[in-house]
Amino acid sequence: MMTKVLVTGSSGFVGKNLCENLRLDSEIELLTYDRTNNHNDLVDMVKQANFIYHLAGVNRPNDEKDFTKYNVNLTNDIVSILQKHNKKTPILLTSSIQALLDNPYGKSKMQAENILTQWHELTGSNIYIYRLPGVFGKWCRPNYNSVVATFCNNIAKGLPIEISNKDHELSLVYIDDVIKEFIKVLKNNVDKSKSNLYEIPTIYSITLGKLAE
């Protein structure tokens, strides 16, 4: 029997890497949702899915209201669809370590986490919340949300790089490690957390100065 897997944010950095790996599994039917889709598409896909990777979101929108639109409301829409159709589909959410910070992005991620936590408490559905640090690796956009991609891009093109504080320490995870962990969740190969919060097993620490070197 085919497992139908929905990936929201499928055209993003993490989503693109995850989808490429899921397509290698002949027992998975992949459902992809991004900004080219509409609400009716979302309803149809959520109704079909046996597992949901909820990766969609924004972290540098032009309008601050988009934090709520894409990070909070979309999460609420998914839960509402599940509730309406009496489904308890497992959900993996990519949150951020900034969920603990007092900024618009962090607040929106915490709100998304809370929506899923309440859904779990109401239904007992399995949820997996990953508060990711900086993610680096193939297909990451420079000059957007990855200092690693930005440094690589600028150095390769002979452009200057900016270092605000060379002693500032970064926490980073490699995209292939992230995808490996996410697929383990799908295959039920991770220990269930009482708090529903999870970490990528391998995290790298490096200062901005050493990264530049």
Side-chain angles (χ1 to χ4, degrees):
M1 182 178 176
M2 296 284 282
T3 300
K4 295 186 178 183
V5 177
L6 169 58
V7 179
T8 72
S10 57
S11 60
F13 167 41
V14 178
K16 185 175 180 180
N17 277 274
L18 177 61
C19 289
E20 285 299 306
N21 279 267
L22 293 175
R23 289 189 181 101
L24 299 175
D25 191 329
S26 60
E27 296 183 352
I28 288 176
E29 179 180 339
L30 187 59
L31 309 171
T32 59
Y33 177 91
D34 61 20
R35 291 195 188 186
T36 64
N37 295 107
N38 58 39
H39 182 73
N40 289 336
D41 295 332
L42 182 67
V43 172
D44 182 55
M45 292 179 194
V46 170
K47 285 167 61 178
Q48 291 186 61
N50 305 118
F51 190 96
I52 298 172
Y53 288 101
H54 182 28
L55 316 181
V58 296
N59 59 9
R60 286 193 179 183
N62 294 323
D63 187 339
E64 197 171 290
K65 293 179 181 178
D66 283 346
F67 284 125
T68 299
K69 180 178 180 181
Y70 294 106
N71 295 349
V72 181
N73 294 351
L74 183 57
T75 307
N76 196 56
D77 287 346
I78 291 170
V79 167
S80 296
I81 295 165
L82 290 173
Q83 188 169 22
K84 180 178 179 180
H85 295 280
N86 195 30
K87 290 177 66 69
K88 298 181 179 181
T89 309
I91 303 175
L92 183 152
L93 172 71
T94 48
S95 185
S96 166
I97 56 175
Q98 292 199 45
L100 299 175
L101 302 181
D102 186 20
N103 60 53
Y105 173 63
K107 288 179 179 179
S108 68
K109 282 299 189 181
M110 180 59 79
Q111 284 180 270
E113 288 186 17
N114 289 340
I115 290 169
L116 287 191
T117 299
Q118 290 168 11
W119 173 245
H120 164 74
E121 292 172 350
L122 179 67
T123 65
S125 301
N126 287 335
I127 62 170
Y128 307 86
I129 298 171
Y130 281 82
R131 288 180 179 164
L132 298 178
V135 186
F136 69 98
K138 59 187 180 300
W139 303 324
C140 192
R141 287 173 57 187
N143 303 306
Y144 181 63
N145 63 348
S146 168
V147 66
V148 177
T150 301
F151 280 11
C152 287
N153 175 76
N154 287 21
I155 291 170
K157 294 179 178 179
L159 300 173
I161 58 174
E162 295 182 8
I163 303 175
S164 54
N165 177 3
K166 67 180 181 64
D167 295 321
H168 176 70
E169 190 164 289
L170 304 169
S171 292
L172 302 170
V173 287
Y174 180 49
I175 187 62
D176 286 3
D177 293 333
V178 173
I179 302 309
K180 182 179 179 181
E181 177 73 6
F182 285 5
I183 291 177
K184 283 175 63 178
V185 173
L186 177 65
K187 304 293 186 180
N188 292 314
N189 289 330
V190 296
D191 293 330
K192 195 73 182 75
S193 163
K194 291 182 180 179
S195 68
N196 299 309
L197 291 173
Y198 297 80
E199 288 186 345
I200 306 303
T202 304
I203 299 177
Y204 301 95
S205 295
I206 190 171
T207 64
L208 272 174
K210 291 299 291 184
L211 178 62
E213 291 177 18

